């Protein structure tokens, strides 16, 4: 919940320029997605037109259009130019009481509407310190697995958010992050998700220009879910450049 109409235009304009200014950001070697607040979606769509940078929303309703005042339906998001949507972000879980079951319903609704889902999972500090990290991820993933087993693997992205490493002063090493990403991929495969090896797994634990390249070099970390650093075009583009460097090294 940051920004203004003016900031949306200037931030995306600057980022678009840093991404190359053409129809393929960073030469098409990496994919970029931005998810502004609801009121600025159409302005963002206009600012990104022809750029190849994808547009997503930060949440959506579990229901279809109807008598749900204040909610936003998946078809409305598509109408505004969205191709993606975040679901189950740690702040939605912690601050707004979204349960695993609500998140699963939202995932199903988004997939029905043809949106690419970026589903967020992750444990709190208390859960990690009590040895429950893997069981928490298993529970969170378990609710959305039924939807994942019947959809195109390209329509689901999983973002791992170690809540304990966001704004707490504690950090997850690249090796710790990789361990959890590998666990998530194993859970997807065990749950019968087709193409589990190709599903993108993003790391969302305070990714910064300084740590992005080392994180993205891990075998099961396919990119980042960027928070505060995305509010500065220079930082966001530096993270994208780290991803580009890793992608070029893999060619």
């Amino acid at each position: 919940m940051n920004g203004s109409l003016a900031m949306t235009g200037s931030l995306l304009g600057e980022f678009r320029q840093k991404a190359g200014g053409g129809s393929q950001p960073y030469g098409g070697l990496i994919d970029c997605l931005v998810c502004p607040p609801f009121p600025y979606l159409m302005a963002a769509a206009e600012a990104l037109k022809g750029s190849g940078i994808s547009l997503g929303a930060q949440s959506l309703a579990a229901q279809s259009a109807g008598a749900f005042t204040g909610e936003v339906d998946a078809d409305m998001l598509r109408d505004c130019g969205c191709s993606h949507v975040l679901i189950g972000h740690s702040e939605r879980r912690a601050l707004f009481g979204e349960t695993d079951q609500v998140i699963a319903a939202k995932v199903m609704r988004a997939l029905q509407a043809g949106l690419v889902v970026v589903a967020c999972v992750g444990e709190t500090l208390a859960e990690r310190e009590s040895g429950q990290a893997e069981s928490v991820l298993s529970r969170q993933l378990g609710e959305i697995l039924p939807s994942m087993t019947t959809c195109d693997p390209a329509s689901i992205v999983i973002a791992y958010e170690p809540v304990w490493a966001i704004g707490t002063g504690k950090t997850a090493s690249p090796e710790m992050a990789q361990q959890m990403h590998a666990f998530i991929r194993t859970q997807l495969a065990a749950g019968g998700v087709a193409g589990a090896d190709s599903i993108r797994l993003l790391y969302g634990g305070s990714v910064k220009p300084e740590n992005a390249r080392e994180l993205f070099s891990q075998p099961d970390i396919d990119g980042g879910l960027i928070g505060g650093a995305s509010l500065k075009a220079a930082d966001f583009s530096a993270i994208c450049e780290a991803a580009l460097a890793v992608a070029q090294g893999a060619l």
Side-chain angles (χ1 to χ4, degrees):
M1 195 172 68
N2 288 290
S4 64
L5 194 58
M7 176 187 169
T8 298
S10 63
L11 178 63
L12 295 182
E14 186 179 350
F15 174 60
R16 180 173 179 171
Q17 185 177 32
K18 289 179 179 296
S23 60
Q24 289 188 310
Y26 299 98
L29 291 176
I30 65 171
D31 292 324
C32 302
L33 166 68
V34 296
C35 300
F38 289 134
Y40 307 132
L41 285 174
M42 295 188 73
E46 183 63 27
L48 296 175
K49 188 177 294 183
S51 70
I53 299 169
S54 298
L55 178 66
Q58 297 179 3
S59 187
L60 83 168
Q63 301 83 6
S64 299
F68 303 100
T69 301
E71 292 297 304
V72 178
D73 177 48
D75 289 335
M76 296 175 181
L77 298 182
R78 287 178 56 87
D79 207 24
C80 289
C82 291
S83 57
H84 293 64
V85 62
L86 300 181
I87 298 178
H89 190 281
S90 59
E91 291 166 2
R92 300 301 310 175
R93 293 176 184 268
L95 302 179
F96 300 98
E98 291 192 3
T99 65
D100 294 337
Q101 293 72 32
V102 166
I103 289 161
K106 290 189 173 193
V107 168
M108 183 177 295
R109 175 67 194 118
L111 292 172
Q112 288 171 346
L115 291 167
V116 177
V117 168
V118 181
C120 304
V121 297
E123 78 281 8
T124 65
L125 179 61
E127 289 166 339
R128 169 162 279 271
E129 290 184 338
S130 61
Q132 300 179 64
E134 291 187 353
S135 63
V136 168
L137 294 188
S138 294
R139 187 198 75 227
Q140 293 172 341
L141 290 167
E143 291 292 334
I144 63 173
L145 279 175
S147 293
M148 295 182 66
T149 57
T150 58
C151 72
D152 181 347
S155 64
I156 284 273
V157 177
I158 302 294
Y160 169 60
E161 295 184 286
V163 183
W164 52 273
I166 303 173
T168 62
K170 297 179 181 292
T171 58
S173 68
E175 294 74 22
M176 292 167 67
Q178 163 58 25
Q179 180 183 11
M180 299 308 289
H181 279 239
F183 175 77
I184 290 170
R185 204 175 295 283
T186 299
Q187 291 295 110
L188 297 180
V193 176
D197 288 344
S198 64
I199 288 178
R200 292 183 179 186
L201 306 183
L202 310 182
Y203 179 67
S206 296
V207 179
K208 300 177 177 65
E210 297 77 21
N211 62 14
R213 186 164 183 171
E214 189 174 8
L215 284 165
F216 298 161
S217 296
Q218 301 300 314
D220 288 297
I221 299 179
D222 303 314
L225 177 66
I226 315 304
S230 68
L231 297 175
K232 297 180 180 179
D235 287 353
F236 191 42
S237 61
I239 292 169
C240 291
E241 286 161 10
L244 176 64
V246 173
Q248 289 174 324
L251 293 178

